[in-house]
Amino acid sequence: MVIGQWTYKLAGNIQKAIDGYKIIEKHFSNHGAIGSALVSSHGTDTGTFSTMIGYENYEQFGLIDDKISQDENFNKEMNPYFELTSWEKMNFAEPMMHKMDPDPGVKNCFAAWTFHHKNIDMIMKKSEIFFKLWMDAGANGCSVGRYNGHDSGYYSFASRFQSMTDYGKAQDKLNSENVWADHTDFTDDVTWKSFNLVRVIETNWD
């Protein structure tokens, strides 16, 4: 799976972002995307929305992008929203380890860290440990992957929660247990780029 992430600021209220997403969801679903979501971020990227589109692979992205670029109805319907949009960045997220069971009907929250570390084997080894720590503390899923695009050379680690309250409880628990002190062999060599708390606003992904 490959996830396209378009991050932007949109003039107007949140309903404008939702209305624009519903047009996007309709067209991308018709053209075969495996899922989509609209999210908002608070943290490094406060004040932004992101539209996420899931593809089976880069070839499917290319096929769908070719169709969308020639879809006159899509461009006509989206132009009023594009005029309000200030584009911030675009990335492809490539999951390397992903554990998120379907959670239909729930608009989840995420805690997401973007970072650089030179040793991919260490990233995978520690991510397996961090998956267990976060999920034992209340997360209902975790994912780690690499970025291709604006943040090429960086990785993302995300924990999923059914509510921001669940995230807060998990963060308090792990902080109080000082678990991070046991992993300074990894964190001391990490260059942190961003941290965001992300809310799903609309989605057709289970």
Side-chain angles (χ1 to χ4, degrees):
M1 180 174 63
V2 177
I3 304 168
Q5 301 179 355
W6 288 263
T7 300
Y8 52 93
K9 292 182 178 178
L10 187 71
N13 58 33
I14 191 172
Q15 190 59 49
K16 288 286 187 183
I18 294 172
D19 292 345
Y21 165 75
K22 288 181 177 178
I23 296 169
I24 291 168
E25 188 277 328
K26 176 183 67 175
H27 285 276
F28 276 80
S29 291
N30 287 342
H31 290 307
I34 63 175
S36 66
L38 172 68
V39 305
S40 63
S41 293
H42 300 279
T44 307
D45 298 320
T46 292
T48 65
F49 299 98
S50 293
T51 297
M52 328 276 279
I53 308 290
Y55 309 93
E56 293 177 3
N57 49 39
Y58 281 106
E59 180 179 4
Q60 192 195 30
F61 158 74
L63 289 170
I64 292 175
D65 192 70
D66 285 341
K67 292 176 181 178
I68 288 290
S69 68
Q70 298 170 30
D71 187 335
E72 293 182 1
N73 288 329
F74 175 80
N75 291 316
K76 181 179 179 180
E77 292 176 56
M78 285 303 298
N79 271 338
Y81 300 94
F82 290 151
E83 290 174 357
L84 303 174
T85 299
S86 173
W87 298 103
E88 298 290 313
K89 58 186 175 182
M90 187 274 173
N91 283 300
F92 288 107
E94 304 171 358
M96 301 184 301
M97 186 163 60
H98 187 76
K99 186 174 182 180
M100 288 188 185
D101 293 333
D103 201 10
V106 177
K107 294 179 180 178
N108 285 287
C109 302
F110 293 82
W113 295 261
T114 301
F115 65 95
H116 174 75
H117 192 285
K118 63 183 179 181
N119 188 331
I120 192 169
D121 292 333
M122 179 71 83
I123 292 172
M124 299 305 291
K125 176 182 175 182
K126 290 295 184 178
S127 291
E128 188 171 354
I129 295 169
F130 295 156
F131 273 34
K132 187 175 189 314
L133 286 169
W134 279 107
M135 294 179 77
D136 285 351
N140 65 1
C142 289
S143 184
V144 64
R146 63 170 62 88
Y147 277 132
N148 179 20
H150 181 273
D151 295 320
S152 289
Y154 286 86
Y155 299 88
S156 176
F157 183 96
S159 297
R160 186 183 72 175
F161 303 87
Q162 287 198 343
S163 69
M164 206 62 81
T165 300
D166 287 348
Y167 157 71
K169 289 179 179 178
Q171 187 74 71
D172 285 341
K173 181 178 187 295
L174 295 178
N175 286 352
S176 67
E177 295 172 357
N178 200 24
V179 298
W180 315 117
D182 296 331
H183 302 286
T184 55
D185 58 328
F186 173 71
T187 57
D188 283 352
D189 292 325
V190 166
T191 301
W192 300 104
K193 183 170 187 179
S194 67
F195 170 70
N196 282 292
L197 296 173
V198 179
R199 285 188 180 274
V200 175
I201 301 171
E202 295 286 340
T203 184
N204 68 0
W205 242 318
D206 287 338

